[in-house]
Amino acid sequence: METLQITRPDDWHIHLRDDDALRTTATHASHYLGRALIMPNLQPPVTTAEAALAYRQRILDNCPAASPFTPLMALYLTDQSSPDEIRQSADSDKIIAAKLYPAGATTHSQSGVKDIQRLYPLFAIMEEVGLVLSIHGEVTDPSVDIFDREKRFIDDHLRAIVDTFPQLRVVLEHITTATAVDFISSARRGVAATITAHHLLLNRNDLFRGGICPHNYCLPLLKREADRCALVNAACAANPRFFYGSDSAPHPRQGKESACGCAGIYTAHAGIELCAEIFSEAETLDRLEGFCSHFGADFYGLPHNTDSITLTASPWSVPDCYEYSHNDLIPFRAGQKVSWKIQEASV
Ligand code: DOR
Ligand code: ZN
């Protein structure tokens, strides 16, 4: 049987939620990840360093005692964010990024930023203190076609941010388009992107396969097959500007299967195995480790994890659902096979 040993992977963009939900999400994530960058879009959002560190402790309280898992935190930027909060966050080695959600762009982004230019003084401080700017890169103008919102964000905002703050480290999160791949590939040093497993595996036809498929609805939306192929090429190219961020985003079943369903796909139960499938299919398994275990840490200026995990090419069936905060959570590939498995996986 084919096996592959890689440095323990990290996930540079994950939603774990809070309270009871952590029993499921933190258990899954800590099962195979060394570190994860935890997104701050709780309700209310994590807008202070103090709140981020308290949230981090609640996550740790839900991880098995022997787990090597280290949550790293991101601050949620709002129109009211202050220089003090940026500096305090940067002072903690446990807070490594500030997240820019354009107001209304996605789940729990109502408190996000309405006027990006007004944050420029904060970006200048982040540049100075070395706090990474993590961006949900979609415009929110309802007149812009929803499939074009990433491209418009790059043109209307990202180019200017990257040019105005030449030392600011910027991550364009969960990219979905060939346009974003091209932008990141040719951007200056210090500009990178995360890519999810679901955007590598699905295209927009998967939203409407035999009817509407709410469990494939996420933001940014799945795009065309040509975009998916551009993402696979970027991820599998051993280009350190592209690294793994799952954007695993749990919602209770009834929140997804609803007249106005929530955006988010849950992959934390099988994130690294899904990546192994993608790299195996592309015949670049030898590059999986760079994408999942090295490039993100290098970008954030952190050491590689020192232990490893072993994957085997042995198919397993994903459960139909997981228990999630007294609700059902329908995971990616529910009831279907994933073709790689972490040895001794037991989620
Ligand atoms: O699909 C998504 N779900 N995209 C996001 O940007 C947020 C996430 C969530 O928090 O549910
Ligand atoms: Zn996200």
Side-chain angles (χ1 to χ4, degrees):
M1 193 192 311
E2 199 175 353
T3 70
L4 179 71
Q5 189 176 6
I6 59 168
T7 304
R8 183 176 292 281
D10 301 310
D11 181 342
W12 297 100
H13 182 130
I14 193 168
H15 301 266
L16 298 183
R17 313 302 188 207
D18 206 353
D19 303 322
D20 283 352
L22 291 171
R23 288 212 306 269
T24 307
T25 59
T27 304
H28 285 173
S30 62
H31 177 64
Y32 57 98
L33 294 171
R35 292 160 292 203
L37 179 55
I38 316 299
M39 288 299 123
N41 61 335
L42 303 181
Q43 280 184 310
V46 181
T47 54
T48 66
E50 190 187 353
L53 296 177
Y55 178 33
R56 181 174 190 272
Q57 190 55 50
R58 294 196 295 281
I59 296 167
L60 284 171
D61 291 344
N62 282 278
C63 296
S67 158
F69 181 63
T70 302
L72 295 166
M73 310 309 288
L75 192 73
Y76 185 114
L77 292 170
T78 72
D79 289 326
Q80 284 73 45
S81 295
S82 71
D84 267 6
E85 223 43 80
I86 298 290
R87 289 187 190 281
Q88 272 183 42
S89 300
D91 279 348
S92 165
D93 59 359
K94 299 175 175 64
I95 304 174
I96 62 168
K99 177 76 189 273
L100 166 59
Y101 288 103
T106 187
T107 310
H108 304 163
S109 64
Q110 304 86 323
S111 312
V113 174
K114 295 191 187 66
D115 182 353
I116 293 177
Q117 285 224 352
R118 283 185 46 199
L119 283 197
Y120 272 29
L122 296 187
F123 295 165
I125 297 170
M126 290 171 62
E127 183 179 38
E128 176 202 321
V129 297
L131 196 65
V132 168
L133 176 63
S134 153
I135 302 182
H136 184 110
E138 289 190 288
V139 296
T140 54
D141 178 346
S143 73
V144 176
D145 188 283
I146 195 160
F147 289 97
D148 295 335
R149 289 182 186 180
E150 183 172 276
K151 178 182 175 352
R152 278 292 289 273
F153 187 91
I154 292 170
D155 291 338
D156 294 1
H157 301 289
L158 189 57
R159 286 180 203 284
I161 294 170
V162 162
D163 290 347
T164 310
F165 304 97
Q167 304 298 323
L168 181 65
R169 281 177 299 150
V170 177
V171 180
L172 183 58
E173 302 289 345
H174 41 55
I175 59 169
T176 60
T177 56
T179 307
V181 168
D182 291 345
F183 175 81
I184 297 294
S185 300
S186 58
R188 64 157 171 80
R189 266 173 70 91
V191 179
T194 53
I195 308 182
T196 76
H198 48 274
H199 289 105
L200 291 168
L201 286 162
L202 304 179
N203 67 32
R204 65 193 205 176
N205 287 358
D206 293 299
L207 283 165
F208 309 104
R209 225 167 255 295
I212 209 155
C213 305
H215 296 287
N216 289 341
Y217 171 52
C218 63
L219 288 168
L221 282 173
L222 302 170
K223 300 295 191 309
R224 291 176 177 277
E225 176 62 6
D227 293 302
R228 189 191 72 80
C229 291
L231 297 176
V232 171
N233 288 338
C236 297
N239 180 341
R241 287 167 181 271
F242 298 101
F243 46 84
Y244 180 53
S246 69
D247 200 18
S248 174
H251 291 273
R253 176 182 199 142
Q254 62 269 32
K256 297 284 295 170
E257 298 176 7
S258 129
C260 186
C262 309
I265 298 180
Y266 187 73
T267 53
H269 61 299
I272 198 67
E273 293 99 324
L274 293 167
C275 289
E277 263 190 35
I278 294 152
F279 279 69
S280 171
E281 177 72 26
E283 298 182 4
T284 56
L285 260 184
D286 56 324
R287 296 178 174 179
L288 178 70
E289 186 176 46
F291 181 70
C292 291
S293 314
H294 291 166
F295 300 154
D298 295 343
F299 181 85
Y300 279 96
L302 297 167
H304 297 172
N305 294 315
T306 50
D307 60 342
S308 61
I309 62 162
T310 301
L311 292 149
T312 58
S314 57
W316 57 286
S317 292
V318 174
D320 291 333
C321 71
Y322 289 108
E323 199 272 322
Y324 175 72
S325 200
H326 313 294
N327 285 291
D328 285 347
L329 166 64
I330 309 299
F332 188 78
R333 289 270 174 87
Q336 297 168 50
K337 296 252 191 272
V338 173
S339 54
W340 285 79
K341 192 176 200 308
I342 301 175
Q343 250 174 29
E344 287 140 41
S346 59
V347 292

